Amino acid sequence: MSQHYTIHFAKGAPPPRNPAKHYFLDRELGHQKDILTEDDVYCSCLAKTLCHVPVPVTVGFYAPFGCRLHMMLDKIMVLMQQEATQCEAKELQHVQWQPRPVQGWGFSKLLWYLVFLQPIITEVHLRRKNVKFLFIRFSAWQYAGTDKLWAGLVTTLCEGIRQQYGALPFSLYSVLGKKAATRLGCRQREWHCRRQLCLTLLALLAALSLGMSLLYLSMGSHALSHGNLFRAFGGAATTLSSSGLLMAVYSVGKHLFVSQRKRIERLVLREKFGSHLGFMCEVKKEVRLLTDFLCFLEIYQRRRLRVVLEITGLDTCYPERVVGVLNAINTLLSDSHAPFIFILVVDPSILASCLESACSMKGTADNGYVFLNRTITLPFSVPIMGHRTKLQFLHDAVRSRDDLLYREMTRKVRSRGGDGDGGGDVEPLLEMEEQARAESAQSVLEVQAARSIQEALCCLHDEGDCLFEYVPDNVVSMRRIVNTVPITVRLLQQQQGDFGGLSPRQAVAWVVLANQWPCRLSWVLQCLEDRQQAGGAPEACARLWDVFCDHSLELHTMTETLQKVLDLDGDPELFQRFLGADFPFTVSEAQRLLRCTVNLDHSIRRRMGLIRAVSTLKSPRPPKSPARKAPHTASGANHAPGAAWAGQAPAHACEAHQPPGRGQVQTHGLSALHLGSV
């Protein structure tokens, strides 16, 4: 009796101690793979749907860059193959027939069927549930430099099917094959003998045999009076029959050595191919021939065939190339019985902008999203990375580092072991002892660094630590953080000995801060540098969040200039909670960590420094009346060069008259949060 299982994902709930007992696929579908993450659930549901969806279909796999796309595609491919295997096993339990192989003896049988038999589409074939998927991946980035990007899509599809079944079967079908006929009813016969072809072939062979016989008689018998007549008829019969057979062999050999891909490339390379009226018709003929060949293979193998074409990297191409690929997809989808499943992996916002900016789509795709919806028949937006998915990615990213650290620690610790005693001179023994002491001290430092790195990395994937919430959902950003942590920890150890009072958790938190909010962090560091150069640096125990609040209004006035840099930052509310509550870094800690920061682009700070310096320059003003000269002189002190480097003078005046309490921080925090929405 089959069992049903319900999957629950509670927000903020701790993971089960044994996840395999709680999260796995429905056993009714035969999968025995455990579900450990939310991505497994989404991939499983999409894979099951694609196994039974009517074809042709175009799946819009919507996701931004670095959003674990290839990992999910690989997972979907495995699940679709498992689903197809299970469906075929269930189908074979209720029927008497077995699928025909295309390898070994089945290959010779396939060639025989291709030449002498015509397939018939029956109701039995249409009711078959067993499916085989052929996966072909097309990377548009590889063809981004050519004007014929769409032709690369068609040729990749043809070449993938050709490599799957071999060149000879497709060449024979191109020359001698016949399209499948449709005969619905109670008839179970799926093959029809091609009598016309068989009779033609027998006639050619008979003519060839007769001609050769007449030639033999004319050459071997000198007494016959009709020798010349036999020689003439024999030569004619032999020439005509052999020429017919040679033409067939030549056509097969031509298709064997000149593939569909080369034929399409030749069409594309013709001069003025775009103005050739029959060009697209030729391409459609090649695609239709490929579709008919797949239909033949379906009936021969006694299973349904589905070609899954994964299109990636399209959002990295020029707009005109993107339009060409979409037109090629529409060309392939023009046949309502084409067994194609297109998985279009793109960022919809970028693709819509490409469609709107393409010159050839003016008036047709003024709204890129509307045009995209006309092509996509199954939208699938990759969801935000779930809690358990994020934890798994961090585990995978850290596990390799842990393995390396474990080998390094064991190697260094073993090197500390003493070697066997041996005799020799005193001086070599002293040199060996000093070298052993130096290696021992170095190995101790390496072991300490390895332990600190391991402790820092463990903080990243610890669900009980609040730092886990600040790790981004982007896989590329995860790897950047994991790869940067060991460098930062080692620099702290080399420059400040015992980390200068900083913990490995603070080091990894600083790495996350620089990765997630590079603009805001660079602004705080630049303000600290300017105030220090002006001689008004804040106290060492002052918090970075307080410094940011003091200068947030000035940053708000530069949002137009720094808009592209501000787009690099993450959620401003999380930034406030990060520096204001969870990790309240002080000025002294920031100065120590800055010397070990390698994942922060210093050009952002230099740009901010130049903008602040230019903003202090005042345009010349007309002379004022003597009555207002005194106030002007008094206010001029505030515009001295030192005060200009120090930042906004009114901010210091506010600090002098009003102590920086909690209410003031929140007031500045609101203006700081407003930066994220501008």
Side-chain angles (χ1 to χ4, degrees), residues 346-463:
V346 293
D347 187 344
S349 60
I350 298 178
L351 197 64
S353 301
C354 291
L355 292 174
E356 293 170 0
S357 59
C359 297
S360 59
M361 301 300 290
K362 295 299 182 181
T364 305
D366 294 335
N367 190 335
Y369 290 99
V370 174
F371 185 85
L372 193 60
N373 290 336
R374 298 173 185 172
T375 305
I376 302 301
T377 55
L378 177 58
F380 182 84
S381 297
V382 176
I384 299 175
M385 184 179 292
H387 187 74
R388 289 172 179 81
T389 304
K390 182 178 178 180
L391 186 63
Q392 183 190 19
F393 276 111
L394 287 173
H395 273 296
D396 295 339
V398 173
R399 189 180 300 133
S400 58
R401 298 292 316 183
D402 287 342
D403 294 341
L404 295 174
L405 292 173
Y406 179 76
R407 289 195 295 268
E408 183 180 3
M409 290 173 62
T410 53
R411 179 175 61 84
K412 293 298 183 180
V413 171
R414 287 178 182 176
S415 65
R416 296 176 59 186
D419 298 332
D421 296 338
D425 298 336
V426 178
E427 292 183 359
L429 289 176
L430 291 176
E431 292 180 359
M432 291 178 60
E433 184 176 359
E434 292 179 358
Q435 184 177 1
R437 289 178 180 176
E439 292 180 355
S440 177
Q442 183 66 23
S443 64
V444 171
L445 294 177
E446 289 293 332
V447 170
Q448 291 178 354
R451 289 176 178 174
S452 300
I453 294 172
Q454 188 172 9
E455 180 182 351
L457 292 176
C458 288
C459 296
L460 284 176
H461 58 87
D462 184 8
E463 291 184 292

Side-chain angles (χ1 to χ4, degrees), residues 529-546:
E529 180 181 349
D530 293 344
R531 292 178 63 176
Q532 185 178 5
Q533 293 175 356
E539 298 181 358
C541 60
R543 298 188 308 168
L544 290 184
W545 174 249
D546 297 333

Side-chain angles (χ1 to χ4, degrees), residues 194-216:
R194 301 176 60 184
R195 293 187 180 91
Q196 184 178 359
L197 178 64
C198 294
L199 292 175
T200 303
L201 183 60
L202 288 175
L204 289 175
L205 292 176
L208 180 62
S209 301
L210 179 61
M212 294 181 66
S213 300
L214 292 176
L215 288 175
Y216 178 76

